[in-house]
Amino acid sequence: MVDFRKFKKLIVELINASKAIKIDKEYLRRLDPSFESSYQYLFHAGFRSLRLYRISHAFYVSGFKFLAYLIYHINRILYTVDIHPAAVLEPGVVIDHGTGLVIGSTAVVGSGTVLYHGVTLGAKYITKGKRHPTVGRNVVVGAGAKVLGPISIGDNVKIGANSVVISDVPEGATAVGIPARIVLKNNTENAKSHLFDSTIDKNDAGDELCFRKENNLEEVLM
């Protein structure tokens, strides 16, 4: 017997996915400095893998799990991106490059967050229930970083490339290292001011951050 309620829910979820993809486009245009023209949406692997995830997620939450996993598998083959269809990514997430990205089934990622290649939002232990991280909004997770376990990453956080994060990171902080340590705290206002300001000199912002990190170099190396 055909369950028309599942099809009705699927239509609603696909409409929501379509709306989310439009927001993803806008955030990508704003947050990827290499983005020059709208035709790049056709060739941006991170965006296209995110679009496939949104479709697979719509099928998954509507009860069409076989099709959801099929789309998920296609995503892994085409873009080497592994986003479980049960994961929750708010509209406006940016996946830069995408290659090697892994997001577990109970992970949550907030809007405005940028995930670079090789990032893992994974589990520390084989267990049921919540076992993957919850990442806040306007977070930057550097290339190769591993965020492991049911931990919380606050809004406006920056995680350094190749860092291994195994404990909560408060809002506005910067965490680097293996295991990750907090080197900047309460950086919320600075993060917000740089997020969508298209007139800001990105090099100046980077110089300021490098200078502040140099002052904390001794702490990082201890």
Side-chain angles (χ1 to χ4, degrees):
M1 184 177 178
V2 177
D3 188 348
F4 289 101
R5 289 175 298 181
K6 289 174 62 176
F7 284 98
K8 184 177 180 180
K9 181 172 178 57
L10 176 61
I11 291 172
V12 172
E13 291 297 333
L14 287 174
I15 292 172
N16 290 337
S18 178
K19 293 177 181 178
I21 290 168
K22 290 180 181 179
I23 298 173
D24 294 336
K25 279 186 172 183
E26 178 62 20
Y27 273 74
L28 175 61
R29 185 185 65 80
R30 292 182 181 185
L31 296 180
D32 187 345
S34 69
F35 204 85
E36 299 174 340
S37 179
S38 59
Y39 71 78
Q40 286 181 257
Y41 291 121
L42 297 173
F43 306 107
H44 197 286
F47 169 73
R48 297 184 72 83
S49 64
L50 181 60
R51 185 173 65 175
L52 281 179
Y53 150 76
R54 298 224 179 268
I55 297 171
S56 69
H57 181 73
F59 277 93
Y60 187 91
V61 298
S62 301
F64 296 91
K65 293 188 176 181
F66 177 84
L67 291 174
Y69 280 112
L70 177 61
I71 298 169
Y72 159 71
H73 186 62
I74 292 171
N75 203 4
R76 294 174 65 184
I77 294 172
L78 291 179
Y79 303 112
T80 62
V81 168
D82 187 333
I83 309 176
H84 195 283
V88 177
L89 277 63
E90 288 185 350
V93 170
V94 174
I95 296 176
D96 199 324
H97 302 293
T99 304
L101 177 73
V102 177
I103 300 179
S105 60
T106 64
V108 178
V109 182
S111 63
T113 290
V114 180
L115 304 171
Y116 285 91
H117 53 285
V119 165
T120 297
L121 305 182
K124 286 193 290 187
Y125 308 108
I126 300 175
T127 182
K128 293 184 178 180
K130 176 68 172 172
R131 57 192 179 278
H132 300 101
T134 296
V135 179
R137 295 175 176 174
N138 306 326
V139 174
V140 177
V141 185
K146 317 300 178 189
V147 185
L148 306 176
I151 61 176
S152 177
I153 307 299
D155 296 345
N156 304 299
V157 162
K158 292 182 176 65
I159 296 175
N162 293 318
S163 298
V164 178
V165 184
I166 55 176
S167 58
D168 293 349
V169 180
E171 179 179 356
T174 297
V176 300
I178 304 174
R181 298 180 62 188
I182 295 172
V183 295
L184 291 177
K185 296 181 179 180
N186 301 322
N187 201 34
T188 305
E189 291 304 318
N190 190 45
K192 285 182 178 178
S193 66
H194 295 333
L195 187 58
F196 291 120
D197 189 351
S198 60
T199 62
I200 191 168
D201 186 330
K202 296 292 192 302
N203 291 326
D204 289 345
D207 290 343
E208 178 185 354
L209 181 59
C210 288
F211 175 77
R212 296 178 68 180
K213 283 190 174 182
E214 286 175 2
N215 291 338
N216 289 278
L217 184 59
E218 182 178 351
E219 178 185 354
V220 175
L221 295 176
M222 287 178 63

